[in-house]
Amino acid sequence: MRHRHRIPNDIRMQVKLLLSLLGVIVLLSACSLGGTSAGAGAGVRAGTKETPTKQVSDAQVVIGLSLDTLEEERWKKDRDLFKAAVEGLGAEVDVQAANGDDAKQIAQAENMISRGVDVLVVVPHNAEAGAAIVAKAHQAGIQVISYDRLILNANVDLYISFDNEKAGELQARAIVSKVPKGNYVLIEGADTDNNAHMFKKGQMKVLKPFVDRGDIRIVYDQFTKEWIPANARANMEEALKANHHDIDAVIAANDGTAGGVIAALAAQQMASIIPVSGMDAELAAAQRIVEGTQTMTVYKPIPKLAEAAADLAVRMAKGEKVSTDKTVFNKKIDVPAILLEPIAVDRMNIDATIIADGFHRRADIYRTE
């Protein structure tokens, strides 16, 4: 990692303004001489998509990271890994977390834009509301990377995540392998999060043939407001009551919702009896897996995601072109996308995956200390 003194924001902004004014003078001079001036460096290209971006030197690069929340273990890991990776590339990071507040996230993003970040990386709380951030950033000539969660109805420059549809498939396959027939409960994520819909789409790819044959009956299907575990628990309690406890399996969208589900089951002495899925490989979930109350989680190697996003953000800030071989439609455009592979983790492969990768310590998972 290259060490350097951080330049105060006010001085950096003055330098950038001066450079911009000099650029205008050069452009006007070139035009008066009948010449032409090349445009700013292009950002991501996928097919015919080309997004302009400004070029900056290594010493000027500042990447903004706008997070939905830091209240979940998962996002603290993303923040720390992303920050370390960006700094390792000689750039700086400006991090803000909105704690699930759309207005606050937009205000924080506007603040980073006004301070002159070169690229803005966004984990949107609300997929639709995030479009306002993209519009404001583009007005300032700043490109936007949608990180892990896709921003909808906006001209997003790049989307980097895991294959979230496949993640949903992994969840459903794991539970169906345990319970190929019976009453299923679906405890999904936040309706405002596009990922939650992608997870469900993947789940239903697996479940539909079983449902069509009458082997599986989906007796309760509900999104979880704000992804809050307490809301997931309330949903599960409602599902148990509505079905007189006649439940055979639960597909929970992530480890937080799984925790809420398992708490509801435990209150009825049903934990460890009903298979429950999860996602994100949180420590508490890994502990529940080895204890037998949670069946599986979907492990997303976050270091790969954070490091790739950091590299792309810095490259885009420098005006480099970044190509992708995939796109994801966000209700407005086909967004250039990089999708990493998720991994199903259960009791059989937990040591070979999240422990071997150093994601969690074995002693912490097995509670041996």
Side-chain angles (χ1 to χ4, degrees), residues 141-162:
I142 297 169
Q143 293 187 103
V144 177
I145 297 175
S146 194
Y147 181 99
D148 194 63
R149 300 175 180 172
L150 183 61
I151 299 171
L152 301 179
N153 287 310
N155 294 318
V156 178
D157 298 290
L158 178 67
Y159 172 48
I160 180 165
S161 184
F162 290 89

Side-chain angles (χ1 to χ4, degrees), residues 171-172 175 250-255 258 275-279 294-297:
Q171 291 175 319
I175 301 304
V250 181
I251 296 180
N254 76 344
D255 291 335
V276 180
S277 70
M279 186 178 306
Q294 184 168 326
T295 306
M296 63 84 70
T297 187

Side-chain angles (χ1 to χ4, degrees), residues 176-202:
V176 167
S177 70
K178 300 288 185 183
V179 183
K181 294 183 179 182
N183 292 341
Y184 270 57
V185 168
L186 306 185
I187 303 295
E188 302 294 352
D191 192 27
T192 54
D193 183 351
N194 187 64
N195 279 8
H197 294 274
M198 296 176 77
F199 299 151
K200 186 173 183 179
K201 184 177 180 181

Side-chain angles (χ1 to χ4, degrees), residues 12-22:
R12 182 168 60 245
M13 288 297 294
Q14 291 175 22
V15 171
K16 287 186 178 182
L17 179 60
L18 178 60
L19 290 174
S20 297
L21 290 172
L22 288 173

Side-chain angles (χ1 to χ4, degrees), residues 98-127:
N99 296 324
D101 185 324
D102 291 333
K104 185 175 182 179
Q105 185 167 34
I106 293 170
Q108 289 175 338
E110 288 177 333
N111 183 259
M112 286 189 278
I113 291 166
S114 69
R115 292 208 298 267
V117 297
D118 300 298
V119 169
L120 187 57
V121 179
V122 181
V123 181
H125 168 251
N126 183 308

